[in-house]
Amino acid sequence: MAPIGDRMAEALNVQAKWELFSSYLYLAMSAYFSATKLPGFANWMRVQAQEELMHGMKIFDYVIERGGRAELLAIDKPQFEWGSPLEVAEAVYDHEKKVTGLIHALVDLAAEEGDHATLNMLQWFVSEQVEEEANASEIVEKLRMVSGDRGIGVLYMLDRDLGGRLPKLAPVVAAK
Ligand code: FEO
């Protein structure tokens, strides 16, 4: 197979940067939840951060496997403060929708380049985004119900539930 084209490799390097930024952002959200004494939510975001790191590594490894040059781009400082757990969950949902758009643009580029191997690799990300958006949306919906007298009770129940979440895959090691 021919090595990956420069345009495709560059676009994948940019995507790896976004995945690593997602990891950084979710780790910042985890720290916010730890500071607000919601350890279950902090665990949820920590697990998400590990999964995003794995996504970035998956792309990094793929570029190298295809004979391209994996270039590490600068990662921005993520947001530090949020107004409420709902605000964080909404930000996660919005961020995942943005990432879905980026993945779909990569699929379009791979199709334009006639790069079938990259198209195939990206299908995993297309499916993953469906799941990530659904999970974030579910938590947004639950948090919207946290209002009124029973609000705090529901919030702590949700916190306990999220405290049990584990990563789907061990990060980094299972990158391929
Ligand atoms: Fe790797 Fe949540 O996008």
Side-chain angles (χ1 to χ4, degrees):
M1 193 189 300
I4 194 164
D6 288 345
R7 202 166 157 224
M8 195 73 246
E10 277 167 27
L12 288 172
N13 284 334
V14 171
Q15 188 61 32
K17 186 275 304 273
W18 276 113
E19 300 293 344
L20 292 173
F21 173 75
S22 303
S23 183
Y24 225 38
L25 175 65
Y26 294 167
L27 202 52
M29 290 171 168
S30 179
Y32 162 80
F33 283 125
S34 290
T36 52
K37 310 293 179 222
L38 288 167
F41 280 91
N43 176 66
W44 167 48
M45 284 287 83
R46 194 185 177 97
V47 166
Q48 291 305 120
Q50 288 175 329
E51 289 186 4
E52 298 302 347
L53 175 60
M54 188 269 286
H55 295 173
M57 292 304 295
K58 202 175 173 77
I59 295 172
F60 174 87
D61 285 342
Y62 175 78
V63 170
I64 292 171
E65 193 177 10
R66 287 288 314 281
R69 187 77 164 86
E71 184 179 10
L72 297 178
L73 306 173
I75 302 170
D76 288 340
K77 179 183 190 294
Q79 191 172 331
F80 176 69
E81 202 60 83
W82 287 269
S84 66
L86 175 60
E87 204 178 282
V88 178
E90 285 174 337
V92 171
Y93 187 33
D94 286 346
H95 185 69
E96 288 302 333
K97 284 191 278 191
K98 177 190 168 143
V99 172
T100 298
L102 294 171
I103 295 290
H104 290 181
L106 281 175
V107 169
D108 291 343
L109 177 62
E112 195 186 310
E113 298 264 304
D115 186 340
H116 296 273
T118 300
L119 268 175
N120 186 53
M121 184 277 291
L122 288 171
Q123 289 315 304
W124 183 90
F125 283 90
V126 171
S127 304
E128 180 73 5
Q129 284 310 120
V130 172
E131 197 183 317
E132 300 233 313
E133 279 196 32
N135 287 342
S137 165
E138 186 191 327
I139 292 168
V140 167
E141 288 311 312
K142 284 183 177 165
L143 281 173
R144 282 192 180 140
M145 293 189 295
V146 176
S147 61
D149 294 344
R150 291 175 49 239
I152 285 291
V154 175
L155 182 66
Y156 284 114
M157 267 170 51
L158 191 51
D159 188 61
R160 198 178 54 195
D161 182 39
L162 292 170
R165 291 217 175 168
L166 298 169
K168 277 181 292 185
L169 292 168
V172 187
V173 180
K176 281 194 178 176

